[in-house]
């Protein structure tokens, strides 16, 4: 998949009126977290040809975005779904974690080699269209997505 860096930047830079957007679903966001977990796995096993500085930039952006999804969408959503019952929400979080592991497993089968693909950047970008962090987390996410494109071009 060839997505230009400018297109990805344009999509992320385009201001989104979050009040006009429907709240992202927990199901969609757990899928996004699964993709993030997979890319983090790829970062941990990346060959030396990829600059450590770039790998760290992706880690920073994705880590912040994953935290945002968990703290702002998944955890409060599970609590709300369970009527504020923290024990039930915790049990459901285990199901979410199992589902994310399934996503990671499927992606490991699909992308067996050690290289990065623009597909990763596109998937994260699609997630960001549903749920946009603010401030530094957004800036770090933009850098992460653009760096993933750079890594994919390196082959």
């Amino acid at each position: 998949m060839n997505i230009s860096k400018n297109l990805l930047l344009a999509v992320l830079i385009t201001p989104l009126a979050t009040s006009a957007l429907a709240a992202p679903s927990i199901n969609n966001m757990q899928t996004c977290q699964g993709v993030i977990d997979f890319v983090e796995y790829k970062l941990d096993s990346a060959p030396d040809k990829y600059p450590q500085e770039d790998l760290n930039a992706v880690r920073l952006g994705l880590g912040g975005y994953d935290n945002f999804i968990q703290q702002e969408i998944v955890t409060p959503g599970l609590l709300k779904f369970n009527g504020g019952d923290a024990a039930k929400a915790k049990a459901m979080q285990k199901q979410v974690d199992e589902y994310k592991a399934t996503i990671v497993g499927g992606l490991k089968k699909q992308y067996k080699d050690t290289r990065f693909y623009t597909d990763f950047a596109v998937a994260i970008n699609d997630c960001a269209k549903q749920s946009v962090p603010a401030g530094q987390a957004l800036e770090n996410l933009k850098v992460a997505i653009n760096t993933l494109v750079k890594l994919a071009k390196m082959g």
Side-chain angles (χ1 to χ4, degrees), residues 4 51 135 148:
S4 77
L148 278 171

Side-chain angles (χ1 to χ4, degrees), residues 7-124:
L7 174 63
L8 287 173
L9 255 180
V11 171
L12 278 178
I13 292 175
T14 304
L16 297 174
T18 53
S19 61
L21 297 175
S25 77
I26 293 173
N27 289 341
N28 289 351
M29 292 296 99
Q30 69 183 350
T31 299
C32 292
Q33 286 184 305
V35 171
I36 291 169
D37 288 354
F38 172 71
V39 174
E40 289 175 338
Y41 158 79
K42 296 292 278 186
L43 292 168
D44 291 343
S45 58
D48 291 338
K49 72 176 179 177
Y50 296 112
Q52 196 62 45
E53 177 181 306
D54 289 342
L55 301 177
N56 289 339
V58 175
R59 272 190 194 93
L60 178 66
L62 295 186
Y65 188 47
D66 190 36
N67 186 56
F68 166 78
I69 291 170
Q70 186 64 45
Q71 298 303 317
E72 300 298 324
I73 299 160
V74 176
T75 298
L78 293 176
L79 271 171
K80 182 177 179 182
F81 181 80
N82 288 290
D85 186 325
K88 286 182 181 177
K90 185 176 181 180
M92 283 189 82
Q93 180 64 54
K94 288 181 182 179
Q95 293 175 347
V96 167
D97 294 341
E98 289 170 7
Y99 179 72
K100 290 188 306 184
T102 301
I103 297 290
V104 172
L107 291 169
K108 283 180 180 180
K109 288 178 184 173
Q110 185 176 354
Y111 298 98
K112 294 177 183 177
D113 58 7
T114 58
R115 68 176 295 242
F116 290 89
Y117 292 85
T118 55
D119 299 14
F120 307 163
V122 171
I124 301 292

